[in-house]
Amino acid sequence: MTSNQKSLGIMTRCHGPHFQEKAYYKKLTLIGRKAGIHVFVFSPRQVDFASRTVAGFEYRDGAWRSGTFPLPAVIYDRCFVGPSYRHYKPFVKKLQNDPQITFLGHGLSGKWQVHQMLSKSPELAAWLPPTEILTMSALREMLETHGSAVIKPIAGTHGSGVVRIVPTPNGYEIAGRDRKNEPFSRTIRTAEGLKTFVTGFTAGRTFLVQPYLSLHTPDGTPFDVRVLVQKNGLGTWETTGKAVRLGDKRSITSNLHGGGKAVPLGPFLARHYQPETQARIKQQIDRLAAELPPFLERVHGRLVELGIDVGIDTAGSVWIIEVNSRPGRTVFRMIDDPKARLHSITHPVRYARYLMKSM
């Protein structure tokens, strides 16, 4: 194996030495070093395709240091998709099409594409809430059929832009998070007013509409279950850990960025559901975690890890809320699960080593 065949490039959106998740990348570097793999961080915009080198940063002697490196054999894509992603996309595409480079996994596109892929599986489709691209007629139909609705941006993260709409005798109750991820609520009196609000709020972005599911505890605390599934050192999927994310009571989402906290799954279910319901919920989550990754990979292409957000409604029904191909790991630190935390960091390096051996 040549030296660059033993290199793992973490692709992220860095502007000079400023990039997110430094603590995570430092751990990946140290784990990689033990496995004989050179780990460095780079931006796809810094690649020189003519010389097949890239300017980036590596962690050594206790600090992040800049350097120029041969293009890595394997790339771990941590480029979060957002409004500025279009500046990176052409460079990412070029790397993906390079025959000498292997990606640990290819990022999933928006929520709608993922929903359409998952709905091709009869088993997984049963866990998907009815979902449409937002139009006023789709919203009216959702409100008539289900009594309330939620709208969410197709490419949003951290719960920003998610809004619940409930018809009342006086009009409509609106609650959610704005683009800055601040909680807000208001009453709108008329259907025309609702249309004005929705048009203004969603301006220039595509949204989805779904029924509003009561994904909260009896006292009104919103929650969901984050399941982290990853490829291991044998190239097979395994469940790294599960945690419940609790949101702020004033919010309708349970994202940690919105001021939430995390708790272990077992004790949480025991507090809120009857024993037979608890057993059914756990069994469904395990089945979902086993079925979803290999199915999605067959339809989408190679994946390395997935954060599956599972909703459980007040009746104990299980729902797939979202699937994220660039999951965070904070929850396992918050619930003090050292084994899940360690695996969440070591698995990507082990899988990279597995790919390098099979090259």
Side-chain angles (χ1 to χ4, degrees):
M1 241 185 267
T2 61
S3 61
N4 88 316
Q5 272 184 299
K6 295 280 282 187
S7 62
L8 173 63
I10 301 170
M11 184 171 72
T12 184
R13 298 193 294 189
C14 45
H15 306 285
H18 306 294
F19 48 94
Q20 292 176 318
E21 302 194 294
K22 276 186 175 169
Y24 174 42
Y25 301 155
K26 173 185 163 182
K27 288 178 187 136
L28 287 178
T29 301
L30 301 176
I31 291 159
R33 201 166 284 160
K34 281 185 188 151
I37 295 169
H38 176 222
V39 178
F40 62 88
V41 176
F42 74 99
S43 160
R45 299 186 66 171
Q46 297 297 311
V47 174
D48 181 339
F49 286 97
S51 64
R52 295 193 69 77
T53 57
V54 58
F57 297 87
E58 63 180 343
Y59 187 82
R60 62 182 156 82
D61 308 327
W64 286 101
R65 303 179 190 277
S66 60
T68 302
F69 312 101
L71 275 183
V74 177
I75 288 178
Y76 182 23
D77 180 359
R78 295 293 290 174
C79 266
F80 292 91
V81 177
S84 63
Y85 186 67
R86 65 179 191 280
H87 303 305
Y88 294 82
K89 201 174 173 180
F91 304 100
V92 175
K93 274 267 172 291
K94 198 164 176 183
L95 288 166
Q96 285 174 338
N97 292 330
D98 191 307
Q100 292 174 47
I101 294 173
T102 302
F103 273 63
L104 287 187
H106 296 290
L108 293 168
S109 34
K111 297 182 178 81
W112 177 241
Q113 288 85 346
V114 174
H115 183 274
Q116 286 181 304
M117 286 187 245
L118 295 178
S119 53
K120 291 189 174 92
S121 153
E123 175 146 40
L124 297 171
W127 288 307
L128 292 171
T131 305
E132 298 293 338
I133 296 275
L134 175 65
T135 59
M136 285 314 292
S137 66
L139 175 59
R140 276 194 299 274
E141 200 172 306
M142 205 63 83
L143 292 173
E144 279 166 22
T145 312
H146 299 279
S148 58
V150 68
I151 63 172
K152 51 174 79 166
I154 210 160
T157 54
H158 309 320
S160 72
V162 179
V163 177
R164 177 182 67 207
I165 300 166
V166 183
T168 66
N170 310 328
Y172 301 91
E173 285 295 327
I174 311 279
R177 287 183 174 273
D178 61 18
R179 287 186 182 213
K180 294 195 177 98
N181 212 2
E182 297 295 329
F184 75 94
S185 62
R186 66 174 70 160
T187 302
I188 291 175
R189 299 273 171 237
T190 62
E192 201 47 49
L194 178 66
K195 185 179 178 180
T196 305
F197 166 78
V198 170
T199 309
F201 189 80
T202 62
R205 296 196 296 170
T206 308
F207 274 64
L208 298 178
V209 59
Q210 297 175 327
Y212 171 69
L213 304 168
S214 40
L215 308 175
H216 54 74
T217 61
D219 73 355
T221 304
F223 76 93
D224 67 7
V225 181
R226 163 53 69 93
V227 184
L228 179 63
V229 288
Q230 294 176 296
K231 291 266 191 71
N232 58 23
L234 301 170
T236 54
W237 287 103
E238 67 177 63
T239 299
T240 301
K242 307 181 189 93
V244 176
R245 301 185 299 184
L246 297 166
D248 181 324
K249 272 188 202 174
R250 297 166 308 165
S251 171
I252 64 162
T253 60
S254 52
N255 293 79
L256 301 178
H257 287 256
K261 59 178 197 211
V263 296
L265 178 63
F268 175 85
L269 292 179
R271 249 195 326 278
H272 297 293
Y273 296 93
Q274 294 300 323
E276 63 276 16
T277 310
Q278 288 173 52
R280 195 188 75 238
I281 291 169
K282 284 180 180 166
Q283 189 187 2
Q284 288 207 31
I285 291 175
D286 287 345
R287 240 179 61 213
L288 200 156
E291 295 279 330
L292 190 149
F295 176 81
L296 198 51
E297 196 168 40
R298 281 198 299 278
V299 185
H300 164 81
R302 183 185 289 139
L303 294 159
V304 55
E305 56 191 353
L306 294 168
I308 306 171
D309 295 339
V310 177
I312 306 167
D313 66 23
T314 41
S317 299
V318 168
W319 300 95
I320 298 169
I321 301 304
E322 201 175 319
V323 183
N324 187 330
S325 55
R326 296 177 183 88
R329 287 147 175 77
T330 321
V331 286
F332 304 116
R333 193 170 70 236
M334 292 173 92
I335 65 168
D336 194 25
D337 184 339
K339 188 175 166 211
R341 244 181 91 191
L342 180 67
H343 281 176
S344 76
I345 298 160
T346 53
H347 276 335
V349 177
R350 287 180 179 154
Y351 181 54
R353 191 173 60 182
Y354 162 82
L355 287 178
M356 286 169 188
K357 280 181 180 159
S358 59
M359 276 179 195

